[in-house]
Amino acid sequence: MTNKYMYFVANWKMFGGVKSLNSLDKVIKFLRSFKKKNFIKIVYCPPNTLIDLMVKKLKKTKIYVGAQNCHESEKFGAFTGSVNPMMLKNVGARYVIIGHSEIREKGETNKIINLKIHNALKSGLKVIFCIGETSSEKKNKMTKNVLNKQIKFGLDRIRNNKSIIIAYEPVWAIGSGIIPKTNELLETVEFIKKKTKNIKVLYGGSVNPKNIHRLNLIDNLDGYLIGGASQESKKFIDIIKKTYN
Ligand code: PGA
C-alpha cells in the first residue's frame, strides 16, 4: 500500500483494434470515482493506429496517451514506415516510450536511443526511457554495468530531466510471469535513482494483480509499466486499486 503519486503506464504493444477502445470505458468510470484519483497518472500507449482515436476518446478525462516508439528524426523524411515525435505530438500524444527491449533487440543502439530522446523532448513529448538487463547479463552479475551504460549513453547531453521517467524492465521479466526478488529490485531502483539524480523510476515486467502486493513493498518505485495485464481493464484497475489498499 502506498500514499505516493504513482504512474500506471499501459503498453498495449502490437495488440488492439478500434473496438478495443471500448474497454477504456471501465477505466474512465473507475477513475472518476476513485478516492485516490489525484494520486495517480494513467498513460495508455496503444499502437500508433489508435493514438488519434484514443486521444479523442479520453479528451475529457485525466488519462493521457503515449506512443510505444518513434523515429529519431525531428523532421519529416523519406523513412518508410516511421513516425517521428513531432507527428506523435501533432495527434495529441503526450508521452513516448523509448528504448524498449523489444526494439533494442532489433538493433536499436544507445546512440539512436539518445537521439530519439533528444528529439522527443524537443517536440514537447515526455519520455518513458526503458532500461534493463538480459538474463545472461544478470547471471554474469553485469546488471549494474549494463544499466549504467544504458543510462550514461541514453541520457548523454540531456538536460531536461523533469520530462523523463525511467522504466526499469529486466528483459527476463517481460512476459515471463517472473518478477525480481524484493531486495534485488529495491537495490536496483536505488542504484538507478542515484545514477540519474532522482529521476522517477517505474518497474515493468510481468506486473499483474497477483504480484502487485509484492512489488508495492518497493517504496522507492514511482509506478509501473504494464504490458499484458493492461490489455484487460479489470486487471489494470485491480493493479491500481491494490496499490492503494
Ligand atoms: P509485460 O510487458 O507486463 O507483459 O511483461 C511489460 C513491457 O514490456 O512493457
Side-chain angles (χ1 to χ4, degrees):
M1 200 199 68
T2 184
N3 267 323
K4 242 170 93 170
Y5 192 87
M6 298 280 270
Y7 284 79
F8 296 87
V9 181
N11 175 10
W12 274 10
K13 308 196 178 190
M14 200 174 73
F15 290 93
V18 175
K19 279 195 185 138
S20 317
L21 296 178
N22 296 336
S23 69
L24 294 176
D25 292 336
K26 266 195 199 143
V27 182
I28 297 170
K29 201 171 152 213
F30 156 75
L31 190 64
R32 280 210 187 105
S33 58
F34 188 48
K35 271 193 275 170
K36 306 274 182 170
K37 63 178 166 218
N38 295 328
F39 281 76
I40 65 173
K41 168 107 43 178
I42 298 179
V43 181
Y44 267 90
C45 301
N48 284 351
T49 47
L50 296 178
I51 291 180
D52 184 39
L53 285 174
M54 199 183 261
V55 167
K56 285 177 182 138
K57 184 171 176 95
L58 297 175
K59 210 170 181 170
K60 292 200 174 109
T61 73
K62 286 259 165 72
I63 302 174
Y64 300 91
V65 181
Q68 299 169 15
N69 189 19
C70 63
H71 190 274
E72 60 271 26
S73 173
E74 69 178 302
K75 300 197 187 103
F76 289 134
F79 301 109
T80 305
S82 302
V83 171
N84 73 10
M86 171 187 71
M87 294 154 89
L88 295 170
K89 185 83 197 325
N90 185 252
V91 289
R94 306 276 283 266
Y95 291 79
V96 59
I97 297 174
I98 294 178
H100 193 284
S101 63
E102 285 155 11
I103 298 165
R104 287 183 191 258
E105 267 164 24
K106 296 227 150 28
E108 188 186 52
T109 61
N110 286 324
K111 205 170 161 201
I112 297 175
I113 289 170
N114 180 250
L115 200 54
K116 287 186 178 184
I117 296 179
H118 269 285
N119 286 330
L121 294 174
K122 226 171 173 178
S123 303
L125 292 174
K126 292 191 193 310
V127 170
I128 300 162
F129 170 39
C130 298
I131 56 173
E133 81 286 1
T134 62
S135 67
S136 74
E137 287 162 345
K138 180 176 161 58
K139 271 186 207 125
N140 292 315
K141 305 209 178 323
M142 285 162 62
T143 301
K144 284 185 181 160
N145 267 339
V146 170
L147 299 180
N148 193 30
K149 201 169 152 197
Q150 290 174 338
I151 292 168
K152 188 165 167 235
F153 294 110
L155 296 183
D156 187 33
R157 291 171 297 112
I158 305 277
R159 307 258 174 270
N160 190 4
N161 276 359
K162 286 217 174 72
S163 295
I164 299 175
I165 301 164
I166 289 187
Y168 170 55
E169 298 206 308
V171 182
W172 49 270
I174 296 175
S176 65
I178 304 166
I179 58 167
K181 292 194 182 88
T182 309
N183 57 339
E184 273 176 10
L185 187 50
L186 196 74
E187 195 186 316
T188 310
V189 174
E190 218 169 83
F191 173 79
I192 297 168
K193 290 209 165 177
K194 225 181 191 167
K195 286 279 157 202
T196 59
K197 299 199 177 70
N198 276 324
I199 292 187
K200 285 186 188 301
V201 178
L202 317 183
Y203 168 77
S206 295
V207 178
N208 64 42
K210 289 197 179 122
N211 60 26
I212 192 68
H213 286 306
R214 262 195 294 150
L215 290 166
N216 283 331
L217 297 173
I218 321 288
D219 55 13
N220 55 1
L221 276 177
D222 301 290
Y224 301 103
L225 177 52
I226 305 157
S230 74
Q231 288 160 33
E232 284 175 56
S233 296
K234 192 183 169 310
K235 284 190 181 167
F236 191 61
I237 292 169
D238 260 11
I239 290 170
I240 300 174
K241 276 190 192 159
K242 286 183 175 174
T243 300
Y244 288 93
N245 272 332

